[in-house]
Amino acid sequence: MRPTLLAPLVATLLFSTVVFAGDPATPATPAKPKSAQELLDASAPADWRTLDPANTLYLDLPGGRVVIELAPGFAPAHVGNIRTLAHEGYWNGLSINRSQDNFVVQWGDPAEEDKDRKSLGSAKAHLPAEFSRTSEGLHFDALPDHDGWAPQVGFSDGFPAARDPESGQAWLAHCYGTVGAGRDVAADSSNGTELYVVTGQSPRQLDRNITVVGRVVQGMELLSVLPRGTGPLGFYEKPGQRTTIKAITLASDVPEAQRVPLQLLRTDTPLFAQVVEARRNRRDDWYKVPAGHIDLCNVPLPVRAPPKP
Amino acid sequence: MRPTLLAPLVATLLFSTVVFAGDPATPATPAKPKSAQELLDASAPADWRTLDPANTLYLDLPGGRVVIELAPGFAPAHVGNIRTLAHEGYWNGLSINRSQDNFVVQWGDPAEEDKDRKSLGSAKAHLPAEFSRTSEGLHFDALPDHDGWAPQVGFSDGFPAARDPESGQAWLAHCYGTVGAGRDVAADSSNGTELYVVTGQSPRQLDRNITVVGRVVQGMELLSVLPRGTGPLGFYEKPGQRTTIKAITLASDVPEAQRVPLQLLRTDTPLFAQVVEARRNRRDDWYKVPAGHIDLCNVPLPVRAPPKP
């Protein structure tokens, strides 16, 4: 016996029973509920999308590569600046300076004084705050469940997001893996050089208070295991404790053969809705009480290597 | 400029304005809102409780000590067995065998076969499932906010918990740091030897599906940074990747001078309600849009060394 806490991610879907017209006396047998994995295994190529190299960052650390998808639909000015910074090698040789348990890791220029900081090159020093955007024209697939943080939550372009029909605004949500732009007290004090990644319980109180620029789609385990800093806010107290950034590169600046080919499950398909439902109500033998609910930040966002042709 | 994403945990409390009877023409000046830290700094000794050594486990790893508070009010049979196992040194020399990113770490006997497993000594091999308990006679302080996972959520004996007035049941919630007893498919297949700790986004779908035995009150950063296992479910694939457990000891089995003196903020006081409110609506200069909400697993549960007399 080796209790494992959880059987592999077995989860099921309640199919609606199909009753054929003209044969009312013979109800069809309810289909055996499919697990999330079975749903994914039966997915079609159109259920997946390929990462756009122009919106993909490679964060190369001594331990390996972290892949980040940028969100130009929500933070166009920040993403534009980040593209410039990456293209010009701004972060190469800088470091991860902060790891606060159950909160974030953060990287950028560790210099305390302005005069000691690395030049921004042709990137802009000042950007507008991009905390939210109009929801007009935005594709948004709402989750069925209530969320106390926002009037509506769901997915937009594959990102966990929220929407307020009253104000007509939408914004990206802070979940595990969300990437944002650190700022000072002034709302417009971020320029995209200081980036953080959520490594703990979703700090949704940050939503609409800071500019979200993307999310980690591969390699979170390289960031989440970094030793926690012992200074205030989890900053490292000694330079030697920081993790050096080998390079942050825009995928489109890398020859195609050197890119990481990745596909992400689309969030605007019937299949995705079925996967969500399979996780809202897990009906495998291990679960005794299906939750009948899921929080935005508990929804899995599957990533895969493209299947071989 | 060194953007820090967040000012220190500045958060505020909305005091109700006091208007003195007989002087309606002179409304009192609203008190300056206090931050959570200011509230804690002004706390009284009675706002804190001391860990009970009989319900405290020390998990000693090569990197340091993790302190766990057990929850006998919710899992009396499991806690009883865990006390016996610790008292008899069951885990000493065993290992942490699993670390799954954004989910759990888990320890116990790594042996695959029953015949190779360590003797349980005088601990019981079989225990009842303790997924929930009657809420009768249970002190429960409800949070003001809605939670999609349970009819009511709040705190009981300092633990994040949930309650269903209709069924009359209460249970402990899976938040960051929650400790539970791994099991197989059968509900009553846990014996307390395989323990897991939540190291990621609150997996509340486990609530009422597994026995929660306590929570980590100090040293989470020793568990959360463990390298993720690359096998299924985050199990380590090679024995050398496991972290050896030096010892798991019941604090009451340790001479008093060698115990870790810790106090925890009580969750059944007006002060705690004020701290929660200060985090529901952060009104320092950094936050532009206070959330007006908090999720159960975002509520801080402060721990401190006892103040010097």
Side-chain angles (χ1 to χ4, degrees):
Chain A
M1 188 189 71
R2 187 190 191 193
T4 52
L5 162 61
L6 272 189
L9 298 174
V10 180
T12 60
L13 169 71
L14 283 181
F15 282 102
S16 54
T17 304
V18 179
V19 179
F20 293 97
D23 191 5
T26 315
T29 309
K32 183 177 178 297
K34 282 191 186 171
S35 71
Q37 189 57 56
E38 286 167 340
L39 288 164
L40 294 177
D41 291 345
S43 64
D47 290 316
W48 299 83
R49 63 190 174 90
T50 299
L51 272 180
D52 175 0
N55 289 319
T56 304
L57 284 187
Y58 297 149
L59 161 58
D60 287 323
L61 301 174
R65 173 169 285 184
V66 180
V67 181
I68 293 167
E69 181 179 24
L70 298 169
F74 284 82
H78 280 75
V79 168
N81 228 36
I82 288 168
R83 277 204 199 98
T84 301
L85 292 162
H87 183 68
E88 298 180 1
Y90 171 78
W91 288 286
N92 305 355
L94 294 181
S95 52
I96 297 178
N97 305 314
R98 175 188 187 190
S99 173
Q100 184 170 358
D101 197 54
N102 194 20
F103 194 35
V104 297
V105 296
Q106 185 174 323
W107 63 82
D109 191 334
E112 294 280 354
E113 304 291 333
D114 272 3
K115 65 176 175 53
D116 301 326
R117 296 176 72 85
K118 193 163 175 174
S119 160
L120 299 183
S122 52
K124 291 176 185 161
H126 297 285
L127 299 175
E130 298 178 295
F131 300 169
S132 62
R133 52 155 285 171
T134 174
S135 59
E136 212 175 315
L138 188 73
H139 189 88
F140 188 91
D141 292 289
L143 270 185
D145 295 309
H146 176 87
D147 182 317
W149 301 98
Q152 291 182 357
V153 290
F155 295 88
S156 186
D157 295 340
F159 288 91
R163 187 169 67 168
D164 181 358
E166 206 166 298
S167 69
Q169 291 289 297
W171 56 92
L172 295 182
H174 279 81
C175 294
Y176 190 82
T178 291
V179 185
R183 67 165 172 87
D184 280 328
V185 168
D188 61 354
S189 57
S190 57
N191 60 21
T193 57
E194 289 276 327
L195 297 178
Y196 65 89
V197 176
V198 173
T199 56
Q201 175 70 18
S202 48
R204 297 283 306 280
Q205 74 279 359
L206 296 178
D207 294 3
R208 287 184 288 175
N209 280 291
I210 196 161
T211 299
V212 172
V213 302
R215 70 182 185 88
V216 172
V217 296
Q218 191 175 78
M220 265 306 291
E221 70 282 3
L222 297 170
L223 299 173
S224 56
V225 302
L226 292 176
R228 282 29 176 169
T230 50
L233 304 176
F235 278 92
Y236 295 112
E237 296 185 276
K238 296 173 189 167
Q241 296 170 324
R242 299 173 189 145
T243 299
T244 299
I245 295 171
K246 291 167 71 174
I248 295 185
T249 319
L250 201 58
S252 53
D253 283 340
V254 171
E256 198 171 338
Q258 293 169 31
R259 294 181 196 155
V260 182
L262 285 181
Q263 293 187 334
L264 291 92
L265 193 69
R266 293 177 67 108
T267 55
D268 57 352
T269 60
L271 179 77
F272 184 72
Q274 291 169 359
V275 169
V276 169
E277 179 54 35
R279 299 303 287 268
R280 293 179 73 245
N281 286 292
R282 308 204 198 197
R283 297 194 179 277
D284 62 274
D285 290 343
W286 194 90
Y287 278 91
K288 311 307 175 188
V289 184
H293 175 87
I294 197 162
D295 272 356
L296 179 65
C297 294
N298 289 100
V299 175
L301 295 170
V303 178
R304 70 174 187 184
K308 293 195 175 117
Chain B
M1 189 190 70
R2 187 189 190 192
T4 52
L5 164 59
L6 270 189
L9 299 173
V10 180
T12 60
L13 168 72
L14 283 180
F15 283 102
S16 55
T17 303
V18 179
V19 179
F20 295 98
D23 191 6
T26 315
T29 308
K32 184 180 178 293
K34 283 191 187 171
S35 71
Q37 190 56 55
E38 286 167 341
L39 288 164
L40 294 177
D41 290 345
S43 64
D47 289 317
W48 299 83
R49 63 191 175 88
T50 299
L51 272 180
D52 176 359
N55 288 319
T56 303
L57 284 186
Y58 296 148
L59 161 59
D60 287 323
L61 301 175
R65 173 168 286 183
V66 179
V67 181
I68 294 167
E69 181 179 25
L70 298 170
F74 284 83
H78 280 75
V79 168
N81 227 36
I82 288 167
R83 279 205 198 96
T84 301
L85 291 163
H87 183 68
E88 298 179 0
Y90 171 78
W91 287 286
N92 305 356
L94 295 181
S95 51
I96 298 179
N97 306 314
R98 175 188 187 191
S99 174
Q100 185 171 357
D101 196 55
N102 195 19
F103 193 35
V104 297
V105 296
Q106 184 173 324
W107 62 82
D109 192 333
E112 293 280 353
E113 304 291 334
D114 273 3
K115 66 176 175 53
D116 300 327
R117 295 175 72 84
K118 194 163 176 175
S119 159
L120 298 184
S122 52
K124 291 175 184 161
H126 297 285
L127 299 175
E130 297 178 297
F131 300 170
S132 62
R133 54 155 284 172
T134 173
S135 58
E136 212 174 316
L138 187 74
H139 188 89
F140 188 93
D141 292 289
L143 270 185
D145 295 310
H146 176 86
D147 183 317
W149 300 99
Q152 290 181 356
V153 289
F155 295 87
S156 186
D157 296 340
F159 288 90
R163 187 169 68 168
D164 181 357
E166 206 166 300
S167 69
Q169 291 289 297
W171 57 93
L172 294 182
H174 280 80
C175 294
Y176 190 82
T178 290
V179 185
R183 67 164 171 87
D184 280 328
V185 169
D188 63 353
S189 57
S190 58
N191 60 21
T193 58
E194 288 276 327
L195 298 178
Y196 64 89
V197 177
V198 174
T199 57
Q201 176 70 17
S202 49
R204 297 282 305 281
Q205 73 278 2
L206 296 177
D207 293 3
R208 288 184 288 176
N209 280 291
I210 197 160
T211 299
V212 172
V213 303
R215 70 183 185 89
V216 172
V217 296
Q218 191 174 77
M220 265 307 291
E221 69 282 3
L222 297 169
L223 299 173
S224 56
V225 302
L226 291 176
R228 282 29 176 168
T230 50
L233 303 176
F235 278 93
Y236 295 113
E237 296 185 276
K238 296 174 189 166
Q241 296 170 323
R242 299 172 188 146
T243 299
T244 299
I245 295 170
K246 292 168 71 175
I248 295 185
T249 320
L250 202 59
S252 52
D253 284 340
V254 171
E256 198 171 338
Q258 293 168 29
R259 293 180 198 157
V260 182
L262 285 181
Q263 294 186 334
L264 291 92
L265 193 69
R266 294 178 66 111
T267 55
D268 57 352
T269 60
L271 179 77
F272 183 73
Q274 291 171 359
V275 169
V276 169
E277 180 53 33
R279 297 304 286 268
R280 293 180 72 244
N281 285 293
R282 310 205 198 196
R283 297 193 179 276
D284 62 274
D285 290 342
W286 194 90
Y287 278 92
K288 311 307 176 190
V289 184
H293 174 87
I294 197 163
D295 272 357
L296 179 66
C297 294
N298 289 100
V299 175
L301 296 169
V303 178
R304 70 174 187 185
K308 291 192 177 121

